[in-house]
mmCIF file of all heavy atoms in Angstrom:
data_model
loop_
_atom_site.group_PDB
_atom_site.id
_atom_site.type_symbol
_atom_site.label_atom_id
_atom_site.label_comp_id
_atom_site.label_asym_id
_atom_site.label_seq_id
_atom_site.Cartn_x
_atom_site.Cartn_y
_atom_site.Cartn_z
ATOM 1 N N THR A 511 -13.696 -10.825 -12.117
ATOM 2 C CA THR A 511 -12.319 -10.915 -12.530
ATOM 3 C C THR A 511 -11.714 -9.679 -13.147
ATOM 4 O O THR A 511 -10.584 -9.629 -13.386
ATOM 5 C CB THR A 511 -12.257 -12.020 -13.643
ATOM 6 O OG1 THR A 511 -13.122 -11.737 -14.588
ATOM 7 C CG2 THR A 511 -12.466 -13.338 -13.036
ATOM 8 N N THR A 512 -12.510 -8.527 -13.377
ATOM 9 C CA THR A 512 -12.024 -7.224 -13.573
ATOM 10 C C THR A 512 -12.491 -6.272 -12.438
ATOM 11 O O THR A 512 -13.621 -6.211 -12.295
ATOM 12 C CB THR A 512 -12.535 -6.726 -14.974
ATOM 13 O OG1 THR A 512 -12.246 -7.647 -16.031
ATOM 14 C CG2 THR A 512 -12.010 -5.336 -15.308
ATOM 15 N N MET A 513 -11.542 -5.855 -11.786
ATOM 16 C CA MET A 513 -11.792 -5.006 -10.551
ATOM 17 C C MET A 513 -11.584 -3.477 -10.927
ATOM 18 O O MET A 513 -10.961 -3.169 -12.071
ATOM 19 C CB MET A 513 -10.746 -5.357 -9.519
ATOM 20 C CG MET A 513 -10.590 -6.827 -9.284
ATOM 21 S SD MET A 513 -9.310 -7.082 -7.980
ATOM 22 C CE MET A 513 -7.788 -6.613 -8.863
ATOM 23 N N GLN A 514 -12.035 -2.566 -10.080
ATOM 24 C CA GLN A 514 -11.762 -1.199 -10.360
ATOM 25 C C GLN A 514 -11.208 -0.477 -9.140
ATOM 26 O O GLN A 514 -11.693 -0.767 -7.990
ATOM 27 C CB GLN A 514 -13.152 -0.500 -10.965
ATOM 28 C CG GLN A 514 -12.803 0.991 -11.376
ATOM 29 C CD GLN A 514 -14.084 1.730 -11.662
ATOM 30 O OE1 GLN A 514 -14.753 2.388 -10.860
ATOM 31 N NE2 GLN A 514 -14.503 1.449 -12.950
ATOM 32 N N GLU A 515 -10.271 0.366 -9.456
ATOM 33 C CA GLU A 515 -9.947 1.321 -8.322
ATOM 34 C C GLU A 515 -10.397 2.699 -8.853
ATOM 35 O O GLU A 515 -9.788 3.365 -9.713
ATOM 36 C CB GLU A 515 -8.407 1.322 -8.131
ATOM 37 C CG GLU A 515 -7.853 2.397 -7.163
ATOM 38 C CD GLU A 515 -8.749 3.011 -6.179
ATOM 39 O OE1 GLU A 515 -9.189 2.123 -5.299
ATOM 40 O OE2 GLU A 515 -8.976 4.108 -6.310
ATOM 41 N N GLY A 516 -11.591 3.099 -8.326
ATOM 42 C CA GLY A 516 -12.390 4.029 -8.915
ATOM 43 C C GLY A 516 -12.143 5.530 -8.494
ATOM 44 O O GLY A 516 -13.020 6.439 -8.684
ATOM 45 N N ALA A 517 -10.975 5.777 -7.824
ATOM 46 C CA ALA A 517 -10.662 7.220 -7.506
ATOM 47 C C ALA A 517 -9.204 7.051 -7.009
ATOM 48 O O ALA A 517 -8.836 7.275 -5.732
ATOM 49 C CB ALA A 517 -11.577 7.697 -6.331
ATOM 50 N N THR A 518 -8.247 6.818 -7.874
ATOM 51 C CA THR A 518 -6.921 6.431 -7.553
ATOM 52 C C THR A 518 -6.047 7.658 -7.191
ATOM 53 O O THR A 518 -6.023 8.606 -8.073
ATOM 54 C CB THR A 518 -6.249 5.688 -8.648
ATOM 55 O OG1 THR A 518 -7.299 4.716 -9.129
ATOM 56 C CG2 THR A 518 -5.111 4.912 -8.207
ATOM 57 N N SER A 519 -5.585 7.701 -6.029
ATOM 58 C CA SER A 519 -4.566 8.805 -5.773
ATOM 59 C C SER A 519 -3.323 8.467 -6.445
ATOM 60 O O SER A 519 -2.981 7.311 -6.771
ATOM 61 C CB SER A 519 -4.436 8.859 -4.220
ATOM 62 O OG SER A 519 -3.720 7.688 -3.721
ATOM 63 N N ALA A 520 -2.457 9.484 -6.455
ATOM 64 C CA ALA A 520 -1.108 9.333 -7.125
ATOM 65 C C ALA A 520 -0.299 8.329 -6.143
ATOM 66 O O ALA A 520 0.382 7.469 -6.704
ATOM 67 C CB ALA A 520 -0.420 10.765 -7.038
ATOM 68 N N HIS A 521 -0.477 8.411 -4.892
ATOM 69 C CA HIS A 521 0.213 7.503 -4.009
ATOM 70 C C HIS A 521 -0.239 6.045 -4.141
ATOM 71 O O HIS A 521 0.574 5.258 -4.328
ATOM 72 C CB HIS A 521 -0.109 7.902 -2.539
ATOM 73 C CG HIS A 521 0.448 7.142 -1.497
ATOM 74 N ND1 HIS A 521 -0.276 6.013 -0.999
ATOM 75 C CD2 HIS A 521 1.651 7.139 -0.915
ATOM 76 C CE1 HIS A 521 0.479 5.416 -0.133
ATOM 77 N NE2 HIS A 521 1.720 6.132 0.043
ATOM 78 N N ASP A 522 -1.605 5.851 -4.354
ATOM 79 C CA ASP A 522 -2.011 4.476 -4.519
ATOM 80 C C ASP A 522 -1.479 3.935 -5.921
ATOM 81 O O ASP A 522 -1.226 2.716 -6.082
ATOM 82 C CB ASP A 522 -3.563 4.369 -4.444
ATOM 83 C CG ASP A 522 -4.019 4.376 -2.971
ATOM 84 O OD1 ASP A 522 -3.137 4.267 -2.114
ATOM 85 O OD2 ASP A 522 -5.180 4.638 -2.675
ATOM 86 N N LEU A 523 -1.581 4.792 -7.023
ATOM 87 C CA LEU A 523 -1.152 4.410 -8.293
ATOM 88 C C LEU A 523 0.275 3.852 -8.380
ATOM 89 O O LEU A 523 0.629 2.875 -8.901
ATOM 90 C CB LEU A 523 -1.349 5.505 -9.254
ATOM 91 C CG LEU A 523 -1.255 5.112 -10.698
ATOM 92 C CD1 LEU A 523 -2.119 3.918 -10.975
ATOM 93 C CD2 LEU A 523 -1.439 6.173 -11.637
ATOM 94 N N LYS A 524 1.074 4.614 -7.464
ATOM 95 C CA LYS A 524 2.558 4.175 -7.545
ATOM 96 C C LYS A 524 2.622 2.725 -6.870
ATOM 97 O O LYS A 524 3.282 1.922 -7.358
ATOM 98 C CB LYS A 524 3.217 5.190 -6.604
ATOM 99 C CG LYS A 524 4.639 5.281 -6.866
ATOM 100 C CD LYS A 524 5.301 6.459 -6.148
ATOM 101 C CE LYS A 524 6.728 6.462 -6.104
ATOM 102 N NZ LYS A 524 7.199 7.647 -5.415
ATOM 103 N N LEU A 525 1.881 2.453 -5.811
ATOM 104 C CA LEU A 525 1.831 1.307 -5.129
ATOM 105 C C LEU A 525 1.197 0.187 -6.122
ATOM 106 O O LEU A 525 1.904 -0.885 -6.239
ATOM 107 C CB LEU A 525 0.988 1.274 -3.928
ATOM 108 C CG LEU A 525 0.744 0.023 -3.143
ATOM 109 C CD1 LEU A 525 2.033 -0.378 -2.253
ATOM 110 C CD2 LEU A 525 -0.534 -0.043 -2.246
ATOM 111 N N ILE A 526 0.238 0.424 -6.745
ATOM 112 C CA ILE A 526 -0.540 -0.494 -7.631
ATOM 113 C C ILE A 526 0.463 -0.811 -8.821
ATOM 114 O O ILE A 526 0.475 -2.002 -9.192
ATOM 115 C CB ILE A 526 -1.873 0.037 -8.109
ATOM 116 C CG1 ILE A 526 -2.772 -0.013 -6.836
ATOM 117 C CG2 ILE A 526 -2.429 -0.858 -9.260
ATOM 118 C CD1 ILE A 526 -4.076 0.809 -7.164
ATOM 119 N N ARG A 527 1.126 0.191 -9.325
ATOM 120 C CA ARG A 527 2.052 -0.069 -10.356
ATOM 121 C C ARG A 527 3.172 -1.005 -9.990
ATOM 122 O O ARG A 527 3.550 -1.956 -10.702
ATOM 123 C CB ARG A 527 2.731 1.177 -10.992
ATOM 124 C CG ARG A 527 1.778 1.928 -12.133
ATOM 125 C CD ARG A 527 2.237 3.228 -12.401
ATOM 126 N NE ARG A 527 3.629 3.404 -12.737
ATOM 127 C CZ ARG A 527 3.993 3.902 -13.849
ATOM 128 N NH1 ARG A 527 3.099 4.391 -14.798
ATOM 129 N NH2 ARG A 527 5.242 3.954 -14.095
ATOM 130 N N LYS A 528 3.656 -0.731 -8.744
ATOM 131 C CA LYS A 528 4.702 -1.627 -8.277
ATOM 132 C C LYS A 528 4.202 -3.067 -8.136
ATOM 133 O O LYS A 528 4.935 -4.032 -8.564
ATOM 134 C CB LYS A 528 5.165 -1.028 -6.930
ATOM 135 C CG LYS A 528 6.448 -1.726 -6.472
ATOM 136 C CD LYS A 528 7.068 -0.804 -5.515
ATOM 137 C CE LYS A 528 8.589 -1.267 -5.197
ATOM 138 N NZ LYS A 528 9.292 -0.387 -4.283
ATOM 139 N N ALA A 529 2.978 -3.313 -7.547
ATOM 140 C CA ALA A 529 2.374 -4.531 -7.445
ATOM 141 C C ALA A 529 2.286 -5.088 -8.739
ATOM 142 O O ALA A 529 2.631 -6.342 -8.925
ATOM 143 C CB ALA A 529 1.168 -4.513 -6.770
ATOM 144 N N ALA A 530 1.766 -4.385 -9.821
ATOM 145 C CA ALA A 530 1.604 -4.939 -11.093
ATOM 146 C C ALA A 530 3.018 -5.485 -11.706
ATOM 147 O O ALA A 530 3.129 -6.569 -12.271
ATOM 148 C CB ALA A 530 0.972 -3.957 -11.956
ATOM 149 N N GLU A 531 3.958 -4.602 -11.532
ATOM 150 C CA GLU A 531 5.373 -4.874 -12.046
ATOM 151 C C GLU A 531 5.956 -6.146 -11.406
ATOM 152 O O GLU A 531 6.725 -6.923 -12.007
ATOM 153 C CB GLU A 531 6.205 -3.615 -11.899
ATOM 154 C CG GLU A 531 6.109 -2.658 -12.979
ATOM 155 C CD GLU A 531 6.599 -1.265 -12.641
ATOM 156 O OE1 GLU A 531 7.425 -1.142 -11.643
ATOM 157 O OE2 GLU A 531 6.152 -0.359 -13.332
ATOM 158 N N GLN A 532 5.559 -6.346 -10.150
ATOM 159 C CA GLN A 532 6.192 -7.502 -9.270
ATOM 160 C C GLN A 532 5.222 -8.782 -9.776
ATOM 161 O O GLN A 532 5.360 -9.703 -9.073
ATOM 162 C CB GLN A 532 6.015 -7.226 -7.825
ATOM 163 C CG GLN A 532 7.168 -6.139 -7.411
ATOM 164 C CD GLN A 532 6.987 -5.854 -5.998
ATOM 165 O OE1 GLN A 532 6.168 -6.345 -5.236
ATOM 166 N NE2 GLN A 532 8.049 -5.156 -5.550
ATOM 167 N N GLY A 533 4.188 -8.657 -10.590
ATOM 168 C CA GLY A 533 3.446 -9.773 -10.946
ATOM 169 C C GLY A 533 2.310 -10.157 -9.965
ATOM 170 O O GLY A 533 1.959 -11.282 -9.813
ATOM 171 N N ARG A 534 1.959 -9.161 -9.016
ATOM 172 C CA ARG A 534 1.137 -9.517 -7.954
ATOM 173 C C ARG A 534 -0.276 -9.530 -8.392
ATOM 174 O O ARG A 534 -1.239 -9.925 -7.655
ATOM 175 C CB ARG A 534 1.292 -8.566 -6.778
ATOM 176 C CG ARG A 534 2.684 -8.787 -6.083
ATOM 177 C CD ARG A 534 2.844 -7.887 -4.960
ATOM 178 N NE ARG A 534 4.072 -7.861 -4.286
ATOM 179 C CZ ARG A 534 4.399 -8.659 -3.261
ATOM 180 N NH1 ARG A 534 3.522 -9.473 -2.687
ATOM 181 N NH2 ARG A 534 5.684 -8.677 -2.667
#
Side-chain angles (χ1 to χ4, degrees):
T511 56
T512 300
M513 314 177 289
Q514 187 183 94
E515 173 26 64
T518 316
S519 68
H521 177 269
D522 284 347
L523 186 56
K524 205 168 167 182
L525 173 80
I526 291 167
R527 271 168 57 124
K528 189 158 196 174
E531 279 158 17
Q532 291 178 355
R534 290 180 187 270

